[in-house]
């Protein structure tokens, strides 16, 4: 079971803890543990995923083992870097025993599964978590911070991988570890300890310490409204072992870079200008580097992680076939040993099945993004409007690359036929008041008049009730009036998605909202399905991506 703790990291460039000094120590005298320095903090952007393969092998006195060499294709990588297991010789029981499992959702809120498409498919959402654990000698060596050995890790890398229902495209959203938000109540499945919801906004990476990765899942679901189907979590050692097995991934910097300053801050990454193939510990350094990339922020680090992942997809798809049995065996051992997943991905077979689903996505249909943000001091919060726009696109399974085929909006029509217009009683209320504006005068009378003109002669304007609605809505109290309510909506051009059942009304009730303060034609809004520019989208086929280097970290 993993735990998390509080560490004072900075997302914004140039901000240091009070009293922070040089050296390798992970603690700040005033702020407690810190992750800003090289030894203690560069978080892990790293989840790994290897596909699986099956075949046959036997040995005296040992059960027969199935083995098969897999060609790694693009999408297997997306999980490969982030955390799945098993390629090559899959000695089932042994490797299954390596995989650590934890509960998926430790919160109280569950989100309904999305409606299947015409083919019966639903999207797949996987939360990829990079833990900064120093819980083994290997992780301590790679992550530094001897004083935190065995301490609580933080969820310093969080990426949501969304595979579309039709399996044609994939979207990834990174959330900066310094994002301030409210963590919901979580219950530790091991000892039953209840962690109450945070009193106010705290850094999102603390969620891991409130019962385990299932609390990080609960936090994402509360923020985004996106149902998360699985999680995968890996540590430092997993990143290195997987990067070694792959054999090298090309990355690019626009100038020489050395991520280390006089105070010891930095990952130690040292590269010459241009493109370099990196693997093993150097790959880990790349994924952890903050000091040296662009403005030295967590945001720049996420961009470097996206570049690495995309390059890895292309490299595996174009060149890599892992065929050395010993290398495959070693890869399978280390990958499964480094991995923590939910029960739904708790076997090599389930991980292999997942990699098979991911395999069909072309690099051109992979989009990496960072959650749009706004700075609050040294931290960030989701950017109003843009962040919710990005989350909505994922919720509605709209491809972030804008290449989805345009489909007419699906509106479910009631199976209950509507009565004739002149027999439908309608009450119209004025709900145009907002926090900033008084109600628009006469809206209930104006809209009821429109309905009368369209044949709804039993329409009445409510002149007594003052309500507030951001969006115009038609409500009905029981199933036998659903068809009538939809008929009213259609007559005025109101989308059927704004027709809802409610026990707060006694008959068909139209509330004119703040979105219709004037005019006689309902201004039905056209959804903007474009990815916000602030999400800094990077396409998986982009081979020209190259990281800017901070002049203070060049040589």
């Amino acid at each position: 079971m993993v735990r998390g703790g509080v560490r004072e990291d900075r997302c914004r460039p140039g901000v240091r803890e009070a009293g922070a000094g040089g050296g390798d120590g992970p603690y700040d005298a005033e702020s407690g543990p810190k992750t800003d320095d090289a030894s203690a903090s560069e978080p892990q952007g790293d989840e790994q995923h290897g596909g699986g393969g099956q075949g046959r092998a036997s040995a005296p006195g040992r059960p027969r083992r199935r083995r098969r060499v897999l060609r790694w294709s693009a999408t297997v990588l997306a999980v490969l870097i982030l955390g799945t297991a098993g390629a090559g010789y899959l000695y089932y029981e042994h490797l299954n025993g390596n995989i650590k499992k934890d509960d998926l959702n430790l919160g109280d809120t569950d989100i309904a599964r999305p409606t299947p498409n015409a083919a019966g498919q639903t999207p797949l959402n996987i939360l990829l978590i990079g833990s900064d654990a120093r819980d083994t000698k290997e992780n301590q060596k790679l992550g530094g911070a001897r004083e935190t050995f065995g301490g609580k890790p933080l969820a310093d890398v969080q990426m949501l991988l969304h595979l579309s229902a039709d399996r044609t495209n994939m979207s990834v959203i990174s959330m900066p570890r310094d994002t301030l938000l409210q963590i919901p109540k979580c219950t530790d499945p091991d000892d039953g300890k209840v962690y109450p919801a945070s009193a106010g906004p705290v850094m999102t990476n603390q969620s891991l310490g409130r019962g385990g990765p299932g609390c990080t899942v609960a936090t994402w679901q509360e923020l985004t409204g996106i149902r998360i189907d699985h999680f995968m979590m890996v540590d430092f050692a997993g990143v290195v072992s997987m990067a070694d097995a792959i054999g090298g991934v090309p990355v690019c910097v626009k100038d020489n870079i050395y991520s280390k300053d006089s105070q010891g801050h930095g990952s130690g990454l040292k590269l010459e200008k241009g493109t370099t193939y990196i693997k093993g510990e150097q790959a880990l350094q790349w994924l952890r580097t903050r000091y040296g990339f662009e403005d030295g922020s967590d945001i720049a680090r996420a961009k470097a992680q996206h570049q690495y992942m995309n390059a890895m997809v292309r490299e595996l798809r174009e060149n890599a076939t892992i065929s050395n049995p010993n290398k495959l065996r070693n890869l399978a051992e280390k990958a499964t040993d480094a991995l923590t997943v939910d029960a739904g991905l708790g076997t090599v077979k389930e991980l292999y099945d997942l990699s098979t689903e991911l395999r069909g996505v072309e690099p051109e249909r992979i989009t990496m993004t960072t959650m749009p943000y706004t700075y609050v001091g040294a931290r960030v919060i989701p950017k109003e409007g843009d962040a919710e726009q990005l989350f909505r696109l994922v919720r509605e399974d709209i491809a972030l690359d804008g290449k989805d085929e345009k489909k007419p909006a699906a509106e479910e029509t009631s199976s209950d036929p509507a009565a004739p217009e002149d027999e439908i009683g309608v009450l119209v209320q004025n709900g145009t008041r907002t926090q900033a504006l008084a109600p628009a005068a006469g809206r209930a009378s104006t809209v009821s008049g429109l309905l009368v003109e369209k044949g709804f002669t039993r329409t009445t304007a409510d002149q007594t009730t003052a309500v507030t609605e951001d969006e115009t809505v038609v409500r009905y109290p029981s199933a036998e009036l659903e068809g009538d309510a939809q008929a009213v909506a259609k007559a005025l051009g109101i989308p059927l998605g704004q027709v809802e059942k409610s026990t707060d009304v006694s008959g068909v009730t139209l509330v004119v909202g703040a979105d219709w303060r004037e005019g006689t034609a309902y201004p039905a809004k056209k959804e903007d399905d474009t990815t916000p520019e602030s999400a800094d989208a990077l396409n998986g086929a982009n081979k020209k991506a190259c990281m800017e280097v901070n002049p203070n970290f060049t040589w």
Side-chain angles (χ1 to χ4, degrees), residues 82-370:
L82 306 163
T84 141
Y89 287 50
L90 301 183
Y91 10 134
Y92 241 53
E93 295 305 318
H94 172 66
L95 293 185
N96 283 342
N98 279 353
I99 302 171
K100 296 176 285 294
K101 292 178 280 292
D102 216 322
D103 287 19
L104 174 62
N105 182 7
L106 305 187
D108 292 338
T109 301
D110 193 19
I111 296 177
R113 295 183 183 278
T115 302
N117 62 14
Q121 302 166 298
T122 56
L124 192 62
N125 296 305
I126 306 167
L127 187 61
L128 311 168
I129 303 171
S131 158
D132 75 344
R134 275 82 170 179
D135 54 355
T136 66
K137 289 184 177 179
E138 187 175 7
N139 278 331
Q140 181 192 358
K141 179 182 177 182
L142 292 168
R146 288 180 291 276
E147 293 84 348
T148 60
F149 181 79
K152 295 180 178 181
L154 301 174
D156 269 350
V157 171
Q158 299 174 35
M159 296 183 181
L160 180 66
L161 185 156
H162 171 84
L163 181 63
S164 65
D166 62 9
R167 303 306 190 251
T168 62
N169 66 86
M170 184 164 61
S171 304
V172 175
I173 300 176
S174 290
M175 183 188 296
R177 61 172 178 167
D178 288 357
T179 300
L180 295 175
L181 44 71
Q182 184 174 50
I183 298 176
K185 183 182 81 171
C186 293
T187 303
D188 191 319
D190 285 353
D191 57 17
K193 179 177 179 179
V194 175
Y195 294 84
S198 61
V202 297
M203 282 174 57
T204 181
N205 63 354
Q206 296 179 24
S207 59
L208 191 57
R210 300 166 70 89
C215 192
T216 307
V217 168
T219 301
W220 269 80
Q221 290 198 156
E222 287 283 344
L223 175 67
T224 67
I226 299 168
R227 178 186 175 89
I228 295 177
D229 303 290
H230 300 292
F231 75 81
M232 294 187 291
M233 182 171 70
V234 293
D235 54 18
F236 295 158
V239 176
V240 172
S241 62
M242 297 300 290
D244 274 338
I246 293 163
V249 170
V251 295
C252 177
V253 288
K254 293 186 177 180
D255 294 288
N256 296 346
I257 182 174
Y258 181 43
S259 179
K260 188 72 72 175
D261 66 11
S262 60
Q263 293 182 308
H265 301 120
S267 69
L269 178 72
K270 190 172 185 178
L271 295 175
E272 293 183 355
K273 176 181 178 179
T275 299
T276 304
Y277 274 76
I278 59 174
K279 64 178 182 178
E281 196 165 342
Q282 196 174 40
L284 177 63
Q285 290 174 336
W286 174 276
L287 293 166
R288 298 181 67 201
T289 293
R290 178 159 61 91
Y291 290 95
F293 285 150
E294 299 187 351
D295 59 5
S297 71
D298 249 6
I299 310 303
R301 172 162 36 202
K303 291 174 66 175
Q305 292 165 359
H306 294 164
Q307 183 187 139
Y308 181 91
M309 291 172 66
N310 281 342
M312 195 177 189
V313 168
R314 297 191 302 269
E315 189 70 13
L316 291 174
R317 191 177 186 87
E318 295 170 3
N319 305 315
T321 301
I322 301 178
S323 56
N324 181 296
N326 288 331
K327 180 179 287 189
L328 286 165
R329 186 188 303 270
N330 183 58
L331 171 61
E333 288 281 356
K334 290 189 175 182
T336 52
D337 192 53
L339 184 66
T340 300
V341 299
D342 64 280
L345 290 179
T347 68
V348 171
K349 181 183 183 303
E350 286 161 334
L351 290 166
Y352 173 71
D353 289 345
L354 173 62
S355 73
T356 300
E357 288 211 81
L358 293 171
R359 198 174 304 159
V361 182
E362 300 284 342
E364 293 79 5
R365 298 306 312 277
I366 298 173
T367 306
M368 303 280 177
T369 64
T370 298

